[in-house]
Amino acid sequence: EKKYSKEHEWALLDNEIATIGITDHAQASLGDIVFIELPIIGTLINMGDQVGVVESVKAASDLFSPVGGEIVQVNNELINNPQIINNDPENNGWYMKIKINHVDEINELMNLDEYKKIVK
């Protein structure tokens, strides 16, 4: 089950690896995405840390990590094709994978119903 942060990121946990991306709501608010700055593999981060930037024709927004751990993979496809985030934000538009330090951090995030309430 995907979990959601108030900063409009989603996380999907598979064992101790969390795949992270921005929500459909976030990409719709940003408009056409033209650039993404991805985090660096091997970086150790804490829950809530700023890890990158996404730029659209309207604005630039920071990317935050909804969980803490070590960045083990980034989606390099987004560098040359950032509009993947607009087309498929909650699947192929993921931007990083993290080996999480504390699995219980995922429980601090919202489920889909809770997230839908804050974006209304």
Side-chain angles (χ1 to χ4, degrees):
E1 176 190 15
K2 280 188 186 149
K3 296 289 193 159
Y4 299 85
S5 74
K6 63 184 187 314
E7 289 81 21
H8 308 288
E9 268 92 20
W10 57 266
L12 182 61
L13 190 61
D14 183 10
N15 292 316
E16 51 189 37
I17 304 295
T19 301
I20 312 294
I22 68 170
T23 65
D24 187 52
H25 173 81
Q27 73 78 24
S29 298
L30 284 167
D32 292 335
I33 294 171
V34 295
F35 174 79
I36 185 165
E37 176 189 301
L38 296 170
I40 297 168
I41 293 172
T43 304
L44 299 175
I45 55 173
N46 293 311
M47 182 180 205
D49 282 358
Q50 193 261 344
V51 294
V53 176
V54 63
E55 292 181 17
S56 71
V57 294
K58 288 196 238 178
S61 291
D62 290 334
L63 297 172
F64 298 95
S65 182
V67 292
E70 179 183 359
I71 298 169
V72 294
Q73 189 176 352
V74 295
N75 189 349
N76 287 317
E77 239 183 284
L78 301 178
I79 294 168
N80 294 323
N81 196 1
Q83 57 272 48
I84 292 171
I85 298 169
N86 290 121
N87 298 332
D88 194 12
E90 295 202 26
N91 292 297
N92 293 324
W94 64 274
Y95 61 86
M96 70 176 176
K97 294 189 181 194
I98 300 173
K99 183 177 185 209
I100 63 175
N101 289 336
H102 305 288
V103 176
D104 57 330
E105 280 185 350
I106 204 95
N107 297 325
E108 295 179 38
L109 302 174
M110 295 174 274
N111 65 33
L112 183 58
D113 288 338
E114 292 166 329
Y115 179 71
K116 283 180 179 177
K117 287 176 187 170
I118 70 156
V119 296
K120 279 189 177 180

